[in-house]
Amino acid sequence: MAKFELKLPKMGESVAEATITTWLKEVGDTIELDDAVVEIATDKVDSEVPCEVEGVLLEKLFEVDDVVQVGQTIAIIETEGEGSIDSGKAETQTESVVETPKEAIVIESQIAEVTEVAASAAVDFSESSKFYSPLVKNIAAAENVSLAELEAISGTGKDGRVTKNDILQFVEDRKNGKTKAQPVVQSPKEEVKVSQTITPTKKQETPKAAPVVASGEDEIIEMTRMGKLIAHHMVESVQTSAHVQSFIEADVTNIWNWRKKVKGDFMKREGENLTFTPIFMEAVAKAIRDFPMINISVSGDTIIKKKNINLGMAAALPDGNLIVPVIKNADQLNLVGMTKAVNDLAGRARNNALKPDDIQGGTYTVTNVGTFGSIMGTPIINQPQVAILALGAIRKVPAVIETPDGDFIGIRYKMFLSHSYDHRVVNGALGGQFVQRVKDYLEAFDVNREF
């Protein structure tokens, strides 16, 4: 019998550890390929860890509530064969069992070649937020499969994971001309600019909170794990960024009337409910394209200018907490694509079905405080971003309407936009111009637009 080490996989940018929340298998249980063995929780999202081999759970190395680092072995699985193998060799051990002897020889030969050249491979797969087994990475590197090509492969494993057979099939198709090879191009380093406005300051000690005394009639409620994490992140953000706010009122009457007119046809054609959120997200993405220095992060005394526009969208969880799933490359989506992305992420957030990748890589965040009836708010920046936009409730109000024939009072639909930004790197001019541009896009909405 062989022993396989099940390790905590990479779960995306900035995630270095996770907490064991539930063991789904007990010692002695039989495990099928891609079976979920354990549930984990990070400071971003809850997830499951699937097994890359078939076997029997021999040992659990951590208990519930233990904190595990990425890459640590969390369980030992007993498999067919001899010796000890790790997760990097798991697919070799398990998947070759189902091959015929002739096919097995071909696979072993390919894997041997992969092992010899993997060390000299130039492709850097660390920039991907997806999980790939070491074997898949090695095959991709040996066959000059670029990161873009690897991410385009439709995986047949659990949750779309790319398996050994998937990557080998892709390589075979490419050799036969069924798939065009793409040049292996290193992802350009994100533009880094030295900030001239940051001066080092001495870190001040956080004042200790006054002790709170509970009487005998008071109810003491333990904060949830996520509640503790959110509290920590909010305090940390306020201590990190110099928060400044700009407010502006936008007339969204055209958007209100257009949505009312087309939402029925939109549902019939696309099968999606058209809300205001994707329309607002579209305007924000356009404004970021106009003002790219809002789409940055701070690292020490340098500014990292983000290449992609990835919009975080604050969404409510069933327990009342908020989570921020991310719409990747939002500026490249049309309104239909944006609507599908918004509805998908919001739906999976409500059902606790988000994956770690869904909440990674955000570069700017939008939160809709109007959902709860607030006309405006002063949101706290979602680190390591430098700005966040709060959308207030849409209200029907009397307003002065300017016309060539003079001004008059009319009923309009209006909302407040509240822009919080990090004054260390975003000055008042940029922060104000950005939210003004969002307002301009909203007010210039074409009422004759086709969706």
Side-chain angles (χ1 to χ4, degrees), residues 209-230:
V212 179
V213 179
S215 69
E217 297 179 353
D218 295 334
E219 181 183 3
I220 299 175
I221 302 173
E222 178 72 19
M223 292 177 68
T224 64
R225 178 190 59 82
M226 181 166 285
K228 294 176 184 178
L229 292 171
I230 291 175

Side-chain angles (χ1 to χ4, degrees), residues 201-350:
T201 58
K202 184 177 180 181
K203 187 175 181 180
Q204 298 180 352
E205 293 185 3
T206 305
K208 294 182 179 179
V212 179
V213 179
S215 69
E217 297 179 353
D218 295 334
E219 181 183 3
I220 299 175
I221 302 173
E222 178 72 19
M223 292 177 68
T224 64
R225 178 190 59 82
M226 181 166 285
K228 294 176 184 178
L229 292 171
I230 291 175
H232 172 75
H233 287 319
M234 295 299 97
V235 172
E236 184 179 52
S237 180
V238 171
Q239 292 175 344
T240 299
S241 297
H243 282 64
V244 175
Q245 283 82 29
S246 291
F247 305 91
I248 200 165
E249 190 175 27
D251 187 329
V252 293
T253 306
N254 287 345
I255 294 175
W256 180 281
N257 293 334
W258 181 82
R259 175 184 172 271
K260 183 178 180 180
K261 178 178 68 173
V262 306
K263 64 180 182 179
D265 292 337
F266 192 94
M267 171 63 79
K268 290 179 182 178
R269 196 184 86 174
E270 303 296 337
E272 297 283 349
N273 181 32
L274 177 61
T275 65
F276 290 104
T277 300
I279 302 174
F280 297 151
M281 287 293 200
E282 182 183 57
V284 171
K286 289 180 180 179
I288 292 176
R289 204 157 48 192
D290 296 340
F291 295 95
M293 289 307 291
I294 283 289
N295 202 46
I296 64 174
S297 290
V298 179
S299 178
D301 289 341
T302 61
I303 293 173
I304 302 174
K305 185 179 178 184
K306 299 293 186 178
K307 178 184 177 182
N308 299 324
I309 298 176
N310 299 333
L311 292 184
M313 178 188 71
L317 293 171
D319 60 3
N321 287 313
L322 292 178
I323 197 167
V324 186
V326 177
I327 302 171
K328 305 293 174 61
N329 298 309
D331 59 319
Q332 299 177 22
L333 298 176
N334 60 18
L335 185 58
V336 174
M338 187 74 79
T339 301
K340 290 180 182 294
V342 166
N343 291 350
D344 172 59
L345 291 173
R348 288 196 284 124
R350 287 191 295 269

